[in-house]
Amino acid sequence: MGNKAAGSVAYGGNVSGARAAEHLRLIAGALHMAAVRTQVNLSLVADFASFATFMPAEHHEDQLQQMFSEVIAWSDALAPLRQS
């Protein structure tokens, strides 16, 4: 399981799931995973119509692309460790 990269997408109320995502970073570290810095935090108020229909803001696409780039870069860097 270790020596892999991980990114997180979270949603919630006031802090858009940021606390849960930060807790997940600690868990990932304990599992020998590299949690990338960029994370996507969605707001139940701003990114969901009537708290049900997903309507993300445009800036989330940039964050998602950045997170994917970081996950791919870290995955490539950690690949030799997974081979052994």
Side-chain angles (χ1 to χ4, degrees):
M1 161 124 17
N3 300 317
K4 295 180 182 175
S8 62
V9 178
Y11 67 94
N14 292 341
V15 291
S16 306
R19 288 187 184 126
E22 285 302 313
H23 184 69
L24 187 58
R25 291 170 61 92
L26 294 172
I27 294 168
L31 296 173
H32 299 272
M33 298 173 70
V36 299
R37 182 177 186 273
T38 301
Q39 60 192 32
V40 181
N41 295 315
L42 304 169
S43 168
L44 284 173
V45 176
D47 296 312
F48 292 84
S50 300
F51 301 101
T53 305
F54 184 47
M55 298 174 54
E58 287 185 32
H59 70 273
H60 292 307
E61 184 175 344
D62 294 336
Q63 291 173 333
L64 191 60
Q65 291 301 324
Q66 178 64 33
M67 185 185 73
F68 284 153
S69 295
E70 291 174 15
V71 168
I72 291 168
W74 274 95
S75 292
D76 291 345
L78 293 169
L81 295 175
R82 288 191 304 271
Q83 306 268 329
S84 57

